[in-house]
Amino acid sequence: MVLLSDLATEIVIPSCAVVGIVFSLVQWVLVSRVKLSSDLNSSGSGPPTNNKNGYKDYLIEEEEGIDDHDVVVKCAEIQSAISEDFNEIAECDCLAGLLFSRILYCRCIKKLEEEFSGATSFLFTEYQYVGVFMIAFAILIFLFLGSVESFSTKSRPCTYNPHEMCKPALATAVFSTVSFLLGAVTSILSGFLGMKIATYANARTTLEARKGVGKAFITAFRSGAVMGFLLAANGLVVLYIAINLFKLYYGDDWEGLFEAITGYGLGGSSMALFGRVGGGIYTKAADVGADLVGKVERNIPEDDPRNPAVIADNVGDNVGDIAGMGSDLFGSYAESSCAALVVASISSFGINHEFTPMCYPLLVSSVGILVCLITTLFATNFFEIKGVKEIEPALKKQLIISTILMTVGVALISWIALPPSFTIFNFGAQKVVKNWQLFLCVSVGLWAGLIIGFVTEYYTSNAYSPVQDVADSCRTGAATNVIFGLALGYKSVIIPIFAIAISIFVSFSFAAMYGVAMAALGMLSTIATGLAIDAYGPISDNAGGIAEMAGMSHKIRERTDALDAAGNTTAAIGKGFAIGSAALVSLALFGAFVSRAGISVVNVLSPKVFIGLIVGAMLPYWFSAMTMKSVGSAALKMVEEVRRQFNTIPGLMEGTAKPDYATCVKISTDASIKEMIPPGALVMLTPLIVGTLFGVETLSGVLAGSLVSGIAISASNTGGAWDNAKKYIEAGASEHARTLGPKGSDPHKAAVIGDTIGDPLKDTSGPSLNILIKLMAVESLVFAPFFATHGGLLFKIF
């Protein structure tokens, strides 16, 4: 008997999703009040009107010079022309001298439009290719799963309860295909909305920086919150609607219903893979080219408008770190929910048709939205950032507050939504579980995420000794910087791995694979706050780029740099959460696959399993080699193009000529679209080939091997440490940092080289490995009926 009725559950879950969507729209409205147009007085002439409400203040810092009304009017016209013709913006010469303060406005507008245009163009091109794959793979799902029972439309005995009759395999094929398409579209939508929000907020964050670091922080964080809440709420509501619609057909066949729902996670992760790999190659090719030629060879500032690769670099921040991360974490959320639902459907919840306990994973996510809403208000309304040193602590408080509140929320929902005692399917047997034990499973994942976040912060923030030691190693050149950075990354995995291991042991001991899935969901329960913190980083980074390109004062650039430095750390924390949750999700999916494929024991001493184990352990290295080489090849072309422009365009270094940004954007776009296909094919085809030719036992070994070797914490932390070591030298905030600087010094150049090496590690290969281990596991689960029936062709022949 549970306290929460089925009717209340059907109201609570969509209501929480709606609250999340409404809250994100409110944050959007608040960000939009930062105007990017010049507000003239009612007469239509004279200087702009200043209101004390902060929304109609002139947002451009006044530089020395003459306030020319014609320039003000011209910039207002340019702003209105953005939506009509991008070429008209060229009329505002962004490389002209700073004669008037209003030229700064023109520069910000042009930078914003170029970013939005480039990011949108890339994503639409990418989605065209991904759309073809999506349709082809959907057909494959239907054919493989439909052939399990030779496309029969007759009911069949249930897998786990042969005395009951379940819907035909053809129905599973149809509904798995539909849920795959739903997950894919939701993932694409999540990435696109995230990119659009980021490009919308970049210039506004820059403009707010003139009022102080606190105003800029709130704008950037609110923008990240829009993405976080939209993704969490959309993922929840689409999954909930799909379950209820599928239920109309499946009725009491909950085994078949939730087996079909696993396609939702497959769709989300498959799109995330291409988004992460394609976006990562795009952004890092541009970043490496911009840094090596601009900062090292030409000794010009980062994001200098004279550098032809800066637009491509900043576009890449949006399509890689924003769109890619959004799709990645959406995939983790969808897969952990699906894994928990699949296991629960063959436990007492599914056997007895208990709707509220069955929806426990969705209720946890619903409470998470409410908790994250309250947590966000602490950063934007309850406390005010007054200085640079308060930025990082404010972001850390978000993690702590959300974790504490979520623990209370999980305790409450476990008490009212679960019976005191129930059973969970555990490899052929039903294991008795208490509701307090399941609460501990969710909580251990939740707190393990916090531990991983803080350890990641310690090893990647330049406020602590590890990164400062890496910066100090730059005294003797790039080689020692690389050695220290690699050592830091390897050392940084110890505590997170122990945290993950303890989470697995506790959750599995209490509630078998269902407990592991709920631990993963616990780690992701505060996904709205985690994404807000993560998206804050690229938004702040691009805000700094806009300030540099617009030629704004050094004071404003210092503020945006401080936001960016904190953003690098928070981005690393976000990657830590993504990695930890990916490990737990993959294990839960692996357990569901083993159960669904009818494997009683995975014996590593069996030759069939062991060969899969070593091949699976090799796959992350093969995948990383492909993505790293792709970044290197694209970066090589980018470096050659940037050098060519500096050498052949007269007046480019002097700032009297405009670089050819479009060619650099095209290089990144072409390279990313072309190079994302082979790694994607490796991940998507491996389970199909292994399962069909070698069978479910070998495939179980492949999944276990890839899971163990694919936890890429060191790659992300090494790259983050190198990045912040460079920023530590550039900021010169301490006496030690000043001895290593200034920009352009030999230690700084060594730090830039380390940062350049770390870029593909932390933004391409490392994050993509999360998707590799999740995607292979969920794909194997979806195709498990086919592999169990028709797999192992080679072993059958020989």
Side-chain angles (χ1 to χ4, degrees):
M1 183 66 183
V2 297
L3 299 177
L4 189 66
S5 67
D6 290 353
L7 178 61
T9 300
E10 291 179 357
I11 295 172
V12 167
I13 294 173
S15 296
C16 288
V18 170
V19 167
I21 293 172
V22 171
F23 183 74
S24 68
L25 295 177
V26 170
Q27 301 304 302
W28 180 295
V29 170
L30 292 174
V31 172
S32 67
R33 288 184 175 180
V34 180
K35 299 299 181 183
L36 286 179
S37 60
S38 52
D39 295 305
L40 302 179
N41 60 22
S42 58
S43 66
S45 61
T49 303
N50 289 325
N51 293 346
K52 293 183 179 180
N53 62 11
Y55 297 128
K56 291 188 177 180
D57 288 346
Y58 224 93
L59 297 180
I60 303 301
E61 184 187 51
E62 295 291 339
E63 303 282 348
E64 292 183 3
I66 303 170
D67 186 10
D68 191 316
H69 172 62
D70 291 338
V71 177
V72 178
V73 174
K74 183 61 180 176
C75 289
E77 292 172 356
I78 292 167
Q79 196 278 335
S80 64
I82 288 176
S83 59
E84 299 173 10
D85 187 356
F86 169 60
N87 293 326
E88 290 184 41
I89 296 176
E91 296 179 27
C92 178
D93 184 6
C94 289
L95 295 175
L98 287 179
L99 299 177
F100 311 105
S101 63
R102 302 300 179 261
I103 292 179
L104 292 176
Y105 169 75
C106 298
R107 291 182 171 184
C108 288
I109 292 299
K110 179 171 175 60
K111 181 68 166 62
L112 172 68
E113 176 63 9
E114 286 180 327
E115 282 187 22
F116 182 76
S117 176
T120 304
S121 174
F122 168 75
L123 284 183
F124 276 128
T125 304
E126 181 183 59
Y127 291 157
Q128 288 175 9
Y129 285 85
V130 168
V132 174
F133 159 81
M134 184 172 67
I135 295 171
F137 205 78
I139 295 172
L140 205 62
I141 291 173
F142 174 76
L143 294 176
F144 272 56
L145 295 185
S147 66
V148 171
E149 297 285 342
S150 301
F151 297 96
S152 172
T153 57
K154 296 180 180 180
S155 298
R156 59 196 168 101
C158 297
T159 305
Y160 299 100
N161 189 1
H163 302 293
E164 298 287 335
M165 296 301 290
C166 287
K167 298 296 183 183
L170 184 61
T172 302
V174 172
F175 283 96
S176 293
T177 303
V178 172
S179 60
F180 168 79
L181 294 173
L182 276 176
V185 171
T186 308
S187 180
I188 288 173
L189 186 64
S190 299
F192 181 77
L193 287 176
M195 181 279 301
K196 188 170 183 180
I197 291 159
T199 52
Y200 186 81
N202 293 339
R204 286 169 169 81
T205 302
T206 306
L207 298 177
E208 283 289 81
R210 70 171 286 276
K211 297 180 178 179
V213 72
K215 295 284 188 182
F217 170 83
I218 289 176
T219 300
F221 190 80
R222 277 180 172 155
S223 304
V226 176
M227 175 186 176
F229 281 92
L230 273 180
L231 186 145
N234 286 339
L236 175 62
V237 76
V238 172
L239 181 57
Y240 181 74
I241 291 172
I243 290 171
N244 280 278
L245 290 178
F246 286 13
K247 200 164 164 235
L248 296 176
Y249 170 79
Y250 278 98
D252 291 338
D253 180 14
W254 285 15
E255 178 188 314
L257 164 62
F258 291 103
E259 184 179 318
I261 283 293
T262 56
Y264 186 72
L266 175 60
S269 265
S270 58
M271 297 303 104
L273 175 68
F274 291 107
R276 261 301 194 188
V277 173
I281 293 171
Y282 186 111
T283 182
K284 292 305 112 182
D287 199 358
V288 170
D291 283 355
L292 286 182
V293 181
K295 296 175 73 172
V296 177
E297 295 181 8
R298 294 288 175 166
N299 199 26
I300 60 177
E302 187 172 3
D303 297 310
D304 192 296
R306 293 171 290 179
N307 193 326
V310 292
I311 293 293
D313 182 12
N314 285 276
V315 169
D317 289 337
N318 294 312
V319 299
D321 292 341
I322 297 287
M325 174 59 85
S327 295
D328 184 2
L329 286 181
F330 166 76
S332 289
Y333 164 77
E335 286 159 337
S336 58
S337 300
C338 291
L341 291 169
V342 167
V343 177
S345 69
I346 53 177
S347 302
S348 63
F349 301 152
I351 295 171
N352 301 325
H353 299 96
E354 300 173 82
F355 182 75
T356 295
M358 189 71 204
C359 290
Y360 179 71
L362 304 185
L363 288 168
V364 169
S365 300
S366 301
V367 172
I369 291 175
L370 301 182
V371 164
C372 291
L373 189 155
I374 297 170
T375 305
T376 301
L377 297 178
F378 279 92
T380 58
N381 295 79
F382 298 160
F383 298 103
E384 183 181 355
I385 301 293
K386 296 180 179 178
V388 168
K389 294 182 179 180
E390 297 178 19
I391 298 173
E392 204 164 305
L395 295 170
K396 287 167 62 178
K397 287 176 184 175
Q398 288 285 294
L399 296 175
I400 298 171
I401 294 169
S402 62
T403 302
I404 293 173
L405 292 178
M406 192 62 203
T407 304
V408 177
V410 171
L412 176 64
I413 208 69
S414 300
W415 177 51
I416 66 174
L418 293 174
S421 179
F422 48 91
T423 62
I424 291 297
F425 186 83
N426 181 26
F427 297 105
Q430 293 286 342
K431 178 183 176 66
V432 178
V433 180
K434 307 291 186 183
N435 56 5
W436 62 266
Q437 291 177 316
L438 203 53
F439 158 70
L440 290 179
C441 292
V442 180
S443 298
V444 75
L446 179 64
W447 285 90
L450 183 67
I451 291 170
I452 292 172
F454 277 122
V455 171
T456 302
E457 190 232 3
Y458 174 73
Y459 280 104
T460 58
S461 172
N462 55 29
Y464 303 107
S465 59
V467 171
Q468 293 175 8
D469 290 342
V470 172
D472 190 69
S473 69
C474 296
R475 293 177 184 272
T476 50
T480 47
N481 179 31
V482 171
I483 292 169
F484 269 69
L486 289 173
L488 177 149
Y490 296 149
K491 188 176 180 181
S492 69
V493 306
I494 299 171
I495 296 177
I497 290 298
F498 275 115
I500 294 172
I502 292 170
S503 300
I504 292 171
F505 179 80
V506 171
S507 56
F508 188 86
S509 299
F510 283 148
M513 280 300 175
Y514 186 72
V516 176
M518 290 311 305
L521 202 58
M523 194 175 288
L524 291 166
S525 59
T526 55
I527 187 174
T529 294
L531 267 173
I533 292 173
D534 193 76
Y536 158 89
I539 290 171
S540 299
D541 187 4
N542 274 358
I546 291 172
E548 181 73 48
M549 291 194 75
M552 301 179 94
S553 72
H554 183 65
K555 182 192 298 184
I556 292 180
R557 181 67 196 193
E558 282 182 344
R559 292 170 183 168
T560 56
D561 281 347
L563 293 169
D564 183 21
N568 280 333
T569 302
T570 59
I573 291 173
K575 291 182 178 73
F577 269 94
I579 292 167
S581 63
L584 294 176
V585 168
S586 300
L587 181 59
L589 291 167
F590 174 70
F593 163 74
V594 169
S595 298
R596 187 67 187 85
I599 303 173
S600 56
V601 176
V602 179
N603 182 9
V604 296
L605 296 179
S606 167
K608 290 183 180 179
V609 176
F610 191 77
I611 61 172
L613 200 67
I614 57 176
V615 169
M618 171 272 296
L619 286 175
Y621 293 94
W622 188 2
F623 181 85
S624 297
M626 295 171 78
T627 52
M628 293 283 283
K629 186 176 180 181
S630 296
V631 172
S633 300
L636 181 62
K637 295 177 183 177
M638 187 69 70
V639 168
E640 290 174 346
E641 173 60 22
V642 175
R643 283 175 177 165
R644 182 195 69 79
Q645 292 196 32
F646 274 119
N647 292 332
T648 60
I649 298 179
L652 184 57
M653 274 298 293
E654 293 75 18
T656 58
K658 182 182 177 181
D660 180 8
Y661 297 124
T663 299
C664 292
V665 170
K666 187 176 187 302
I667 288 173
S668 277
T669 301
D670 292 346
S672 58
I673 296 298
K674 176 185 175 183
E675 300 288 348
M676 75 178 182
I677 296 174
L682 174 68
V683 177
M684 298 297 292
L685 294 179
T686 296
L688 293 178
I689 293 173
V690 173
T692 303
L693 298 181
F694 299 95
V696 291
E697 289 184 82
T698 304
L699 181 56
S700 67
V702 170
L703 297 179
S706 64
L707 169 60
V708 170
S709 68
I711 303 177
I713 296 175
S714 75
S716 294
N717 287 357
T718 296
W722 274 327
D723 196 347
N724 270 351
K726 176 198 70 175
K727 284 187 165 53
Y728 175 76
I729 295 173
E730 290 176 345
S734 67
E735 184 61 36
H736 175 243
R738 285 190 286 274
T739 63
L740 301 172
K743 291 182 180 181
S745 65
D746 288 339
H748 178 247
K749 290 182 177 179
V752 171
I753 292 173
D755 174 39
T756 304
I757 296 171
D759 276 338
L761 284 175
K762 70 181 175 66
D763 291 325
T764 307
S765 296
S768 299
L769 286 176
N770 303 334
I771 306 173
L772 178 144
I773 61 176
K774 293 183 300 183
L775 182 53
M776 288 179 57
V778 73
E779 184 181 346
S780 300
L781 175 59
V782 169
F783 287 98
F786 175 82
F787 297 147
T789 306
H790 301 298
L793 293 179
L794 289 181
F795 291 129
K796 289 177 181 177
I797 294 173
F798 298 105

